Amino acid sequence: MDAQVRPDKMKALQEKMDRLGIFEKDLIEKFVRSGGKGGQKVNKASSCVYLKHLPTGVEVKCQQERYQSLNRFLARRLLADKIETLVRGQLSREEQEREKIRRQKRRRSRRAKARMLEDKHAQSDKKFLRSKDFSLDE
């Protein structure tokens, strides 16, 4: 697995996995063909790596790189990061982004909508009073 990855990075990942209690025996690893751009290389070789951690049920699919060995490393790193956020109980960046978008799309309450429209109307009145159409010297 370490053909493309530096030994120090491999060691750091192994330490992180040990710290989180992720063992190789708990992982299901499959190799599938990647999708998307890449032409013949992607269509022939199974360089995409699928990992599933049995105790937590966390699944990861990685096809970032052309090489299977590098994708195996990246998939394990991604899995460790996901499990770490799960263990810590923190919202990950992706979840925070999704929550932000959900809040933006959420319908306003009647009171909030009325207040917003009232503020818009007041601003509109101010702009109208500044316009050339309305002048006091006529």
Side-chain angles (χ1 to χ4, degrees):
M1 184 169 86
D2 53 350
Q4 301 286 326
V5 185
R6 292 194 331 237
D8 57 325
K9 287 191 175 190
M10 279 299 300
K11 186 179 177 193
L13 177 64
Q14 191 58 49
E15 288 171 2
K16 185 176 186 175
M17 288 174 68
D18 291 341
R19 192 174 63 246
L20 292 169
I22 305 170
F23 305 107
E24 288 293 325
K25 64 179 182 180
D26 295 335
L27 298 177
I28 291 178
E29 184 175 41
K30 295 179 185 175
F31 303 103
V32 291
R33 291 197 177 122
S34 301
K37 299 175 185 171
Q40 289 179 346
K41 169 66 178 163
V42 172
N43 297 334
K44 286 181 190 175
S46 298
S47 58
C48 180
V49 177
Y50 166 84
L51 280 180
K52 181 175 184 179
H53 187 241
L54 294 174
T56 58
V58 176
E59 297 178 353
V60 168
K61 195 173 182 182
C62 183
Q63 61 180 34
Q64 285 180 327
E65 299 297 328
R66 185 175 173 176
Y67 304 102
Q68 189 183 73
S69 59
L70 193 52
N71 282 333
R72 287 182 77 200
F73 170 78
L74 294 172
R76 279 170 172 71
R77 192 165 69 180
L78 193 61
L79 182 81
D81 290 343
K82 277 191 172 190
I83 291 175
E84 186 175 29
T85 56
L86 206 141
V87 168
R88 286 186 176 179
Q90 298 174 341
L91 289 175
S92 64
R93 284 187 202 152
E94 297 100 14
E95 289 177 44
Q96 288 175 349
E97 273 300 311
R98 275 189 246 127
E99 181 63 27
K100 180 181 176 186
I101 290 169
R102 193 179 68 74
R103 278 195 313 268
Q104 288 172 345
K105 289 183 177 182
R106 186 175 55 203
R107 266 186 81 160
R108 291 192 167 108
S109 67
R110 286 186 180 149
R111 180 180 286 166
K113 190 170 184 178
R115 196 177 316 126
M116 184 260 313
L117 289 174
E118 201 174 287
D119 291 343
K120 279 187 158 190
H121 189 69
Q123 186 68 23
S124 167
D125 289 344
K126 276 194 247 175
K127 284 188 151 195
F128 177 73
L129 291 173
R130 284 189 230 138
S131 70
K132 292 179 183 177
D133 296 337
F134 179 80
S135 57
L136 296 174
D137 51 315
E138 285 183 316

